Amino acid sequence: MSVQERKERERAERERLIVATARELAEQQGWDAVTTRRLAERIEYSQPVLYSHFRGKREIIGAVALEGATEMAAAVRAAASAADGPRERVAALARAYLDFAESHPAVYDAMFLLDGGLVFAKEDTPEPLKDAFAALLESLGEVAGDGVHPGVFTEVFWAALHGLATLARAGRLPPEYAEWRTELLVDRLAVI
């Protein structure tokens, strides 16, 4: 291995450590607790080392969001592929999405609520975000209904899931009706 390859590998490992530590700290104490000073202390590197990887917290949030999008896409695909039939796939997708939002609140916030400097729904949208949307579209496109644009249907269904996830996390929806809400969304919105 050349010196250059070793340096690149070490740089990538440091970057993964920064992102993992930021994510862990955010999940434990919230994003307000994630500062470059605290990250530097936790990973035992100086703040200038952090700044050599990320220009600031915004870019770190973006990196966590991209990692989360990859994980969410995998979770949605795994759930949908394990289900039989269109209705079951959509229900499994909805549950996987809502479970991801509940299980990884700081990552979910980085993906959809905080400014990570990422571009959505544009040509230059990062691939992990495009792939997360594609994971939804794969199952939802087949239940959009005649004359309904599959991408637009997926956006509307996603918006409904996001609303449910956000309101539930904020304690604005009674938890005992969570499953019923999911079933209602699937049964009333999807044409199956």
Side-chain angles (χ1 to χ4, degrees), residues 133-148:
F133 185 78
L136 298 173
L137 181 62
E138 289 162 10
S139 292
L140 294 171
E142 70 178 315
V143 298
D146 292 338
V148 177

Side-chain angles (χ1 to χ4, degrees), residues 57 60 77 164:
K57 183 175 176 177
I60 294 169
R77 282 189 176 109
L164 287 175

Side-chain angles (χ1 to χ4, degrees), residues 1-7 9:
M1 173 182 300
S2 72
V3 172
Q4 180 63 28
E5 290 172 328
R6 182 180 51 77
K7 286 183 179 183
R9 188 183 75 223

Side-chain angles (χ1 to χ4, degrees), residues 14-64:
R14 270 194 315 271
E15 193 165 299
R16 279 191 297 277
L17 178 61
I18 294 167
V19 171
T21 304
R23 183 176 172 164
E24 178 184 317
L25 187 57
E27 291 291 5
Q28 291 172 352
Q29 300 176 29
W31 278 104
D32 287 342
V34 179
T35 65
T36 53
R37 183 184 58 78
R38 288 182 96 184
L39 286 174
E41 289 172 2
R42 283 206 176 194
I43 64 172
E44 299 178 346
Y45 282 105
S46 68
Q47 284 182 323
V49 170
L50 264 72
Y51 285 116
S52 73
H53 290 274
F54 300 99
R55 287 182 288 209
K57 183 175 176 177
R58 181 179 187 221
E59 284 189 4
I60 294 169
I61 289 170
V64 169

Side-chain angles (χ1 to χ4, degrees), residues 48 93 119 125 159 174 185:
L93 171 149
V119 178
T125 297
L185 176 64

Side-chain angles (χ1 to χ4, degrees), residues 40-166:
E41 289 172 2
R42 283 206 176 194
I43 64 172
E44 299 178 346
Y45 282 105
S46 68
Q47 284 182 323
V49 170
L50 264 72
Y51 285 116
S52 73
H53 290 274
F54 300 99
R55 287 182 288 209
K57 183 175 176 177
R58 181 179 187 221
E59 284 189 4
I60 294 169
I61 289 170
V64 169
L66 294 176
E67 190 175 90
T70 299
E71 292 170 9
M72 188 184 77
V76 164
R77 282 189 176 109
S81 69
D84 293 324
R87 187 201 181 285
E88 292 76 17
R89 277 192 292 282
V90 172
L93 171 149
R95 285 187 201 95
Y97 182 98
L98 295 170
D99 288 347
F100 183 89
E102 183 180 348
S103 300
H104 308 288
V107 174
Y108 191 83
D109 288 351
M111 292 168 62
F112 300 121
L113 301 175
L114 300 175
D115 180 9
L118 302 174
V119 178
F120 284 80
K122 304 281 188 217
E123 196 63 35
D124 57 341
T125 297
E127 283 305 315
L129 299 179
K130 288 180 182 179
D131 188 54
F133 185 78
L136 298 173
L137 181 62
E138 289 162 10
S139 292
L140 294 171
E142 70 178 315
V143 298
D146 292 338
V148 177
H149 187 284
V152 173
F153 177 78
T154 300
E155 291 169 350
V156 171
F157 200 93
W158 171 31
L161 287 172
H162 176 70
L164 287 175
T166 304

